[in-house]
Structure formats: structure tokens, C-alpha cells
Amino acid sequence: MLTVATAGSAQGSTQVLALAASIDQVFDNVRNWLVGILAGLATVFLTVGGVRYLMAGGDPGEVEKAKQAFKSAGWGYALAALAPLVVEILRGIVGS
């Protein structure tokens, strides 16, 4: 549970910003965050690779850098696809 105490309140009350109903919901949230972050980063690498490839102008060094960015994007998408499996393994370890 995440709580925030505000200095302006004279009574010292707290406001709940996030509350998970169960451990299953926590694992679902972790899975969703992992997939989102990994897919987002992979998309950035894919975009950078595409721009590098277009701007290479035949330079073999730049083409290799673009190919490396494409490979990194592929790894990122693969990890995003495997994130639910990793969360299921953690769920099994915790015993939820």
C-alpha cells in the first residue's frame, strides 16, 4: 500500500494512492509494467535502427550499427513476450 502524508493537514491524515486487493493483482500489474516497458524500449531501438539504416548512405559501419539496433529490438520484443512467463514463475515461487 502506498500512502502519502501531507504537511498541510493539521490532523495528519493520509491519502491512499494505490492499493492492491490481492497478491495476484500485484503480479498482474508487474507483468503489465514489464511488457509495456520492454515493448516500448524495443520500439525505440527499432526506430533508431530504421533511421540509422536510412541515413547510412552506404557506409558499412553505420549499416552494422543499424543491424545491431535491429537485433537489440528483436531481443527486447522477445523479452517482452517472455515477461508473462517470468511473472508466472515468480508467482509459483511465492506460492500465490
Side-chain angles (χ1 to χ4, degrees):
M1 176 169 55
L2 178 66
T3 59
V4 174
T6 58
S9 79
Q11 298 172 350
S13 65
T14 60
Q15 179 182 9
V16 177
L17 296 178
L19 179 66
S22 67
I23 192 74
D24 288 331
Q25 187 179 9
V26 170
F27 282 121
D28 289 340
N29 291 342
V30 167
R31 181 197 64 221
N32 293 339
W33 274 96
L34 276 175
V35 169
I37 290 170
L38 289 171
L41 283 173
T43 303
V44 168
F45 276 102
L46 186 66
T47 304
V48 168
V51 170
R52 279 190 168 208
Y53 193 76
L54 288 173
M55 301 297 287
D59 182 15
E62 286 297 316
V63 170
E64 283 302 314
K65 288 179 184 178
K67 287 181 182 179
Q68 185 61 40
F70 288 144
K71 289 177 189 175
S72 297
W75 278 106
Y77 286 125
L79 288 174
L82 289 175
L85 178 65
V86 171
V87 172
E88 286 300 319
I89 292 171
L90 287 174
R91 187 177 285 182
I93 291 171
V94 172
S96 166

